[in-house]
Amino acid sequence: IPPGAPPAIPSRESPRVASWLIVVAMTKQLDHQALVDFTRRWFALWTEADPHARSRQVADLWAPAGAQVLVDPPQEVRDAATALAFPVPRLEVRGHDEIERRVTQAYAMFVEPGVHTFKAAGDAVLLAPALVGLGWDMVTVADGTVAGSGYDVIALDDNGRILLDHQHIAPS
């Protein structure tokens, strides 16, 4: 880390290496390279096969009390809630352990079988200071056909870690 640079975000792997670029970017505003790096790290997390590496990536990307909210729950969930006269439930995971379980389940359902993977639909964009938009596609590995897509609106803390992610899944 260069002299006079802000402290790095602690990580399980190395206390001063993995997240230094994001800290610099947040103190100077997110620039294009920081958004490219964020995009790369985001998709590396959702497609990571190694559970230990995935755990480290969650800790590096997310604030300890960070949360992900699934804005558009699956139709089956909405139908079940409606049938019981409940409002559509808010699906949320909070904290590293819950986020890690969510990412692990998405990996097991969509990536691990080898049928699909997740890819960026362009680099992340800065919507406002510390607010990032990130489009994505779930593509078929065999031919690249888009099988699903979505858009995440992500609020970052002062260290560039995710505080809140509102995930919108496009209707199929």
Side-chain angles (χ1 to χ4, degrees):
I1 297 176
I9 300 168
S11 77
R12 292 181 188 169
E13 185 174 1
S14 169
R16 299 183 65 86
V17 176
S19 302
W20 179 78
L21 285 174
I22 295 297
V23 172
V24 172
M26 287 307 297
T27 57
K28 295 182 178 178
Q29 288 296 329
L30 286 167
D31 62 15
H32 175 72
Q33 188 55 49
L35 292 168
V36 169
D37 183 57
F38 183 85
T39 302
R40 179 193 56 76
R41 293 170 63 224
W42 177 260
F43 287 96
L45 168 64
W46 291 92
T47 59
E48 177 58 59
D50 177 18
H52 298 292
R54 194 167 38 239
S55 180
R56 284 191 305 272
Q57 291 170 337
V58 166
D60 286 344
L61 270 172
W62 294 81
Q68 182 183 55
V69 176
L70 182 58
V71 176
D72 309 314
Q75 188 62 48
E76 306 82 51
V77 172
R78 287 182 271 167
D79 290 345
T82 301
L84 296 171
F86 280 96
V88 174
R90 176 181 168 127
L91 300 183
E92 177 180 314
V93 291
R94 183 171 296 278
H96 288 169
D97 290 343
E98 290 182 10
I99 292 164
E100 186 176 338
R101 280 194 298 276
R102 162 88 169 109
V103 173
T104 297
Q105 182 63 21
Y107 178 83
M109 290 173 68
F110 303 114
V111 179
E112 187 174 41
V115 177
H116 298 103
T117 193
F118 295 104
K119 295 197 176 202
D123 291 325
V125 295
L126 190 62
L127 302 173
L131 189 65
V132 174
L134 182 61
W136 53 269
D137 293 321
M138 182 174 73
V139 299
T140 305
V141 172
D143 62 9
T145 303
V146 174
S149 62
Y151 195 82
D152 287 51
V153 178
I154 301 167
L156 304 174
D157 68 11
D158 290 339
N159 294 318
R161 290 165 70 184
I162 301 168
L163 283 173
L164 184 59
D165 170 15
H166 279 90
Q167 185 174 73
H168 303 262
I169 298 176
S172 44

